[in-house]
Amino acid sequence: MNKQQLIEAIANEVEVTKATAASCLDAFINTVTKVLKKKGEVRLVGFGTFTTAKRKATTGRNPQTGAAIKIPASTQPKFKPGKALKDALN
């Protein structure tokens, strides 16, 4: 499912226009992004938790040349599914 299909599904589920559903989805994405940038977390009980995790700097290899390259430290987004979501998939 891509973003447009998700917007259409949300619009049909709550009986609103696609424009309204798109605005709501964009607001959700922007809010989660802002919270994660501030090293916070977003907990949606039953669905899951969005958090961040730090990755250390490492040394990798260029697969074409075999040369060593430095991979800088970074902060990665993480999602841990909640129990209700896990149970719904089983």
Side-chain angles (χ1 to χ4, degrees), residues 43-86:
R43 287 180 190 246
L44 302 173
V45 176
F47 183 71
T49 304
F50 296 91
T51 59
T52 58
K54 292 183 180 180
R55 294 182 102 183
K56 295 180 181 180
T58 60
T59 302
R61 297 236 173 247
N62 180 330
Q64 293 179 339
T65 65
I69 57 172
K70 289 189 176 190
I71 301 170
S74 64
T75 301
Q76 301 292 311
K78 298 281 184 176
F79 176 75
K80 181 179 178 186
K83 183 175 182 337
L85 180 59
K86 287 180 189 177

Side-chain angles (χ1 to χ4, degrees), residues 6-71:
L6 179 58
I7 289 169
E8 189 173 334
I10 292 169
N12 290 336
E13 182 75 23
V14 294
E15 298 177 355
V16 296
T17 65
K18 288 182 186 178
T20 302
S23 294
C24 292
L25 181 59
D26 288 340
F28 173 77
I29 292 169
N30 291 337
T31 302
V32 171
T33 301
K34 287 177 188 176
V35 170
L36 294 181
K37 279 185 177 181
K38 294 178 183 177
K39 308 292 188 250
E41 67 177 32
V42 177
R43 287 180 190 246
L44 302 173
V45 176
F47 183 71
T49 304
F50 296 91
T51 59
T52 58
K54 292 183 180 180
R55 294 182 102 183
K56 295 180 181 180
T58 60
T59 302
R61 297 236 173 247
N62 180 330
Q64 293 179 339
T65 65
I69 57 172
K70 289 189 176 190
I71 301 170

